[in-house]
Amino acid sequence: MASNSPAPQAPAGPGYMSTSSRFSENGGAEGSTGEWVPSDESPVSSRGRHRVLRQQRRAFARSSTVLGVGVIAAVGAGGIATAQDKAPIAISLPDGLGGSEGAAENAGLATMGGTVTGEQSEAQDGAGDALRSRILQQAEQQQAQAEAERRAVAEKAAAEAAAADAMKASADAKKKADEAKKKAAADAKKKAEADRLAKLAKSFALPTSSYNITSTFGSSGGLWSSGQHTGLDFAAPAGTPAKAVGAGTIKSAGYSGSYGYQVIIELNDGTEVMYAHLSSINANVGQKVVAGDMVGRVGSTGNSTGNHLHLEVKTPGGTTIDPGAWLRSKGLQP
């Protein structure tokens, strides 16, 4: 047997009335089946289409948020520096989903987009600082390397200059040492020669005194039969002693034509010394004499223009040589 289903209960609260009540007010029968008749003050029901729309709006907002965050994360991970110059990411909702919750979600997304942009700016600043640091570090390294190379070049140049200076100083020192050595050798030789001449001077003597040299060896003119003077003339007063220049033996003594009175002494080494134009002779042939012994006196006999001693010197081989040079070689200065 069929039974009637119980009438649906109307929700309590203002704006709701049962059909029975309404019927009662309108004169209808009491106990009739109730029907919900919304009024302007009735709250929106959470069931039905309104509930579906709100769930769709929230799901779409969540998916949009996830999408925005993913985009921002991808931009930050990629290091795109230009993101800071762009406007924050805004997510637009379809019509009908832009209520208070949608506005709040969009505001949250805009705020999140701004935060991500700031993080990107900080990341870019950090990357820029790191890049500047690397550039500065590389510049400092290059500068340090260039400075090291410059110092190396300068040190090499200084070392080369020092080596050149050392070589020059060594060469100068060697040159000075050689010069000093040569000078010392020359001085020693000169001293030895002086000592030898001094010793010889004790063995030799000038042929006369109080004289003047009037004609030297090799002079040319018509006064000499050969056309040249073969000796050295010592002009002195008549009677001035003529002395032996060295030790030897009287080889010749007497008158000899144009030479007048002459004496020839053969020295111990074979050298012959002739005295001519004497006024007198004080030696005999074969007589031994030493330096300083008188062998005659100055005169003007023979082919002579005045009182003088004509001195000639011949080597042991018979060659006539310069008497002045020969006397100097014996340590005497005529």
Side-chain angles (χ1 to χ4, degrees):
M1 181 176 176
S3 62
N4 293 327
S5 300
Q9 297 293 326
Y16 293 89
M17 64 176 61
S18 65
T19 55
S20 61
S21 299
R22 189 173 182 181
F23 291 158
S24 176
E25 291 176 358
N26 297 326
E30 296 283 340
S32 300
T33 301
E35 180 181 354
W36 176 49
V37 180
S39 65
D40 294 338
E41 297 179 354
S42 299
V44 179
S45 176
S46 61
R47 294 182 177 89
R49 183 175 179 274
H50 293 81
R51 183 175 182 181
V52 170
L53 289 175
R54 184 171 60 186
Q55 290 176 352
Q56 289 177 351
R57 182 176 64 233
R58 289 180 178 177
F60 185 80
R62 285 194 298 269
S63 63
S64 300
T65 301
V66 172
L67 176 61
V69 171
V71 171
I72 293 171
V75 171
I80 302 177
T82 56
Q84 65 174 351
D85 298 331
K86 295 184 178 180
I89 298 173
I91 304 300
S92 299
L93 298 178
D95 294 341
L97 297 182
S100 60
E101 288 189 15
E105 294 290 345
N106 290 336
L109 289 176
T111 302
M112 182 178 296
T115 302
V116 172
T117 303
E119 291 177 355
Q120 290 175 346
S121 177
E122 292 178 359
Q124 181 189 13
D125 291 341
D129 291 340
L131 179 60
R132 283 193 298 272
S133 298
R134 288 195 299 271
I135 294 174
L136 291 175
Q137 184 178 6
Q138 292 176 357
E140 291 176 355
Q141 291 176 352
Q142 294 175 355
Q143 184 176 2
Q145 183 178 0
E147 182 66 19
E149 292 177 354
R150 186 191 66 78
R151 285 197 301 268
V153 171
E155 291 174 357
K156 181 179 179 181
E160 291 177 351
D165 292 340
M167 291 180 63
K168 184 177 182 300
S170 178
D172 292 342
K174 185 177 183 300
K175 182 179 180 181
K176 290 180 179 180
D178 292 342
E179 290 177 352
K181 185 177 179 180
K182 290 179 180 179
K183 185 177 183 300
D187 292 342
K189 183 178 180 180
K190 183 177 181 180
K191 185 177 183 301
E193 181 65 12
D195 293 341
R196 185 186 72 83
L197 293 176
K199 185 178 179 180
L200 286 174
K202 293 179 182 180
S203 303
F204 291 87
L206 288 172
T208 190
S209 60
S210 302
Y211 61 87
N212 290 316
I213 303 297
T214 56
S215 297
T216 58
F217 178 80
S219 299
S220 60
L223 296 176
W224 304 284
S225 59
S226 63
Q228 287 185 332
H229 192 216
T230 58
L232 184 62
D233 289 347
F234 295 81
T240 302
K243 299 177 290 186
V245 294
T249 304
I250 302 298
K251 183 177 181 181
S252 173
Y255 194 84
S256 180
S258 62
Y259 285 105
Y261 287 107
Q262 71 169 12
V263 173
I264 298 175
I265 302 173
E266 184 178 352
L267 301 180
N268 294 333
D269 64 356
T271 302
E272 293 184 356
V273 180
M274 181 184 73
Y275 300 79
H277 307 300
L278 298 175
S279 61
S280 63
I281 296 174
N282 295 91
N284 299 313
V285 175
Q287 180 183 344
K288 299 294 185 180
V289 295
V290 294
D293 289 346
M294 188 175 70
V295 295
R297 290 182 183 276
V298 175
S300 186
T301 59
N303 186 11
S304 172
T305 58
N307 295 313
H308 71 281
L309 171 63
H310 176 84
L311 185 72
E312 284 191 14
V313 178
K314 292 183 178 182
T315 65
T319 303
T320 303
I321 61 175
D322 183 359
W326 182 82
L327 289 172
R328 285 190 292 271
S329 69
K330 304 306 179 182
L332 303 173
Q333 295 297 328

